[in-house]
Amino acid sequence: MQVNWRWIHAARNSYAVLYAACERDGFLLQQVDNPADDVTCYSLNSLNAASYRDEIAAADCLTIVGGPHATACPREVAGYADYVVVGEGEYTLTRLLEDVRDGGEGLIPGIMTGSFYEPAKSSVRLDAYPAFSEMKGYVEITRGCPHACGYCQTPQIFGHCMRHRSIDEVARFANRHKESRFVSPNAFAYGSDGTNPRWDKVEHLLRACRHQIFFGTFPSEVRPEFVCDESLSLVTRYCANTKLHFGAQSGSDAVLAKLRRGHTVADVLKAVDLCREYSFVPVVDFIVGLPFESDDDQRSTLDLICEVSRSGIIHAHRFISLPGTPLADTVARDLLPEVENMLGKLALRGRLTGSWNDPAVRFFRRPSNDIP
Ligand code: SF4
């Protein structure tokens, strides 16, 4: 049975991960640019799903769709795909392929079809699967997040409990290449429950990686309250990055509380100061146009953006409501003219990147090299 993977740039790391999982179980995921026999797999996010819907619906082969959008809206996706992988793919996809190859109907836990659904019985243990194989990817060190930020799909997909790949396994993959980057919702939370850092475990991990590593930059950004003397000393000592990437999201404590971010504006300012002290360039994410921000909240965010931009780089994103999140079905509010003007000026000065003015630009163009 020929199994294909529809190449979608945004899902390149999912390809690396699932290529390795499927290869181990005897299926080679052939990269294709169109659906092809016998089976074609897709990984869709909620921003590109609409672009592939007609292609999947018209495909002559069996189609399997997973990814964040499939998990958030499985019924919708089951309306045009043969099988929907709800949740993590490593175990479910390989079991599904085996079942279909052996003549089964593919009605197994973790799969939804137009007439069937049974939830997956357990979560994936990261050590049970390779981080990648032939297709090089980032090394995923942690899955799951104990936080519940209103705009974020991560805890809905991977749960609120952090699961970590063991130090030996991380090192085994990181040491295969001259340079490695990691995937984590908060790299500084490695080895911990996500709220109480374990710097001893982070240090063991970094020490075990022998080559050049980038830790705390895309795609292993950190949370601002984890930026401290311990974390910055470790990155200084063991890592190659000169930037540190974390989320501030808003300059208003009231908005941060509504978002359930679990940190304050003061945490962000302290993190920026510490970065300066340790000679890191802070790269700081902001979301503008949040549905419940007042004019004053938005001005406070602009003030914080201006402050951070004096020593750092701003990644500003216009709010987009994602299905499956607490802020699903809400609508972005307009930007004040002074906010729009200042963001434009900062962009022209090279202090700000992102899609603060037109979300469509961000999600329907091929992403640029976003790796600091
Ligand atoms: S934004 Fe980050 S910290 Fe918040 S829920 Fe998502 S992964 Fe967790």
Side-chain angles (χ1 to χ4, degrees):
M1 183 173 80
Q2 177 61 50
V3 184
N4 305 298
W5 176 270
R6 173 65 158 97
W7 175 255
I8 297 171
H9 187 76
R12 59 199 182 282
N13 210 58
S14 300
Y15 182 37
V17 169
L18 292 172
Y19 184 96
C22 290
E23 181 186 40
R24 207 190 59 172
D25 287 351
F27 298 99
L28 277 185
L29 294 188
Q30 179 72 37
Q31 187 179 311
V32 292
D33 290 324
N34 285 293
D37 282 340
D38 299 305
V39 179
T40 300
C41 306
Y42 291 74
S43 177
L44 302 180
N45 64 42
S46 295
L47 299 144
N48 64 22
S51 310
Y52 295 96
R53 185 188 171 120
D54 291 349
E55 173 183 309
I56 295 167
D60 286 331
C61 60
L62 272 184
T63 53
I64 301 174
V65 179
H69 188 68
T71 297
C73 304
R75 291 204 184 283
E76 177 214 308
V77 178
Y80 56 89
D82 294 306
Y83 296 102
V84 182
V85 175
V86 184
E88 299 169 305
E90 290 94 333
Y91 182 80
T92 305
L93 177 60
T94 49
R95 293 291 82 75
L96 173 64
L97 292 173
E98 281 171 355
D99 192 74
V100 170
R101 180 197 58 199
D102 298 342
E105 291 180 72
L107 306 182
I108 62 164
I111 291 297
M112 181 179 284
T113 69
S115 56
F116 167 86
Y117 177 56
E118 192 180 323
K121 294 200 188 306
S122 63
S123 317
V124 163
R125 195 168 56 83
L126 292 184
D127 272 4
Y129 293 91
F132 55 79
S133 59
E134 299 289 300
M135 301 296 148
K136 189 192 170 200
Y138 305 118
V139 184
E140 188 175 16
I141 57 173
T142 301
R143 244 182 223 183
C145 179
H147 299 280
C149 304
Y151 53 84
C152 178
Q153 287 178 321
T154 295
Q156 327 299 331
I157 300 168
F158 297 126
H160 290 279
C161 188
M162 281 196 142
R163 289 167 274 152
H164 306 284
R165 197 181 296 274
S166 68
I167 290 171
D168 285 350
E169 280 296 287
V170 173
R172 192 160 75 85
F173 288 97
N175 292 340
R176 282 189 193 176
H177 297 277
K178 283 191 198 142
E179 185 184 299
S180 288
R181 297 169 196 270
F182 305 97
V183 175
S184 170
N186 176 11
F188 287 163
Y190 179 76
S192 78
D193 60 3
T195 49
N196 302 292
R198 289 292 307 266
W199 303 123
D200 55 333
K201 294 195 177 178
V202 174
E203 178 159 20
H204 284 155
L205 176 80
L206 298 180
R207 214 168 38 206
C209 298
R210 292 195 305 271
H211 301 151
Q212 221 183 27
I213 53 173
F214 292 78
F215 197 79
T217 62
F218 175 86
S220 65
E221 296 94 333
V222 298
R223 285 179 54 89
E225 76 276 22
F226 279 66
V227 178
C228 59
D229 286 315
E230 286 94 334
S231 53
L232 294 186
S233 300
L234 289 172
V235 178
T236 301
R237 182 165 176 199
Y238 292 105
C239 306
N241 41 306
T242 55
K243 295 178 182 165
L244 199 72
H245 194 154
F246 53 90
Q249 315 308 3
S250 174
S252 156
D253 279 329
V255 170
L256 290 176
K258 278 187 196 154
L259 285 175
R260 304 179 63 143
R261 276 290 293 168
H263 67 76
T264 62
V265 173
D267 290 323
V268 174
L269 289 168
K270 189 171 159 221
V272 171
D273 274 352
L274 276 167
C275 283
R276 205 179 291 138
E277 221 172 277
Y278 281 80
S279 300
F280 285 98
V281 175
V283 179
V284 185
D285 287 323
F286 285 88
I287 302 174
V288 291
L290 285 157
F292 42 69
E293 71 188 6
S294 66
D295 288 2
D296 282 346
D297 291 328
Q298 209 173 88
R299 288 189 192 102
S300 300
T301 296
L302 183 62
D303 289 345
L304 185 59
I305 285 175
C306 290
E307 172 62 29
V308 174
S309 72
R310 289 170 53 217
S311 61
I313 305 289
I314 308 296
H315 271 192
H317 304 296
R318 188 70 168 269
F319 169 74
I320 296 179
S321 81
L322 295 175
T325 67
L327 290 180
D329 303 321
T330 59
V331 178
R333 62 151 284 173
D334 289 340
L335 299 192
L336 297 170
E338 68 258 39
V339 172
E340 207 144 1
N341 287 343
M342 182 50 82
L343 297 183
K345 280 183 190 163
L346 290 171
L348 286 174
R349 281 185 221 146
R351 307 307 301 175
L352 182 142
T353 62
S355 54
W356 47 274
N357 49 356
D358 181 359
V361 172
R362 172 184 174 198
F363 292 109
F364 293 106
R365 86 176 164 208
R366 184 189 164 93
S368 58
N369 183 1
D370 201 18
I371 301 173

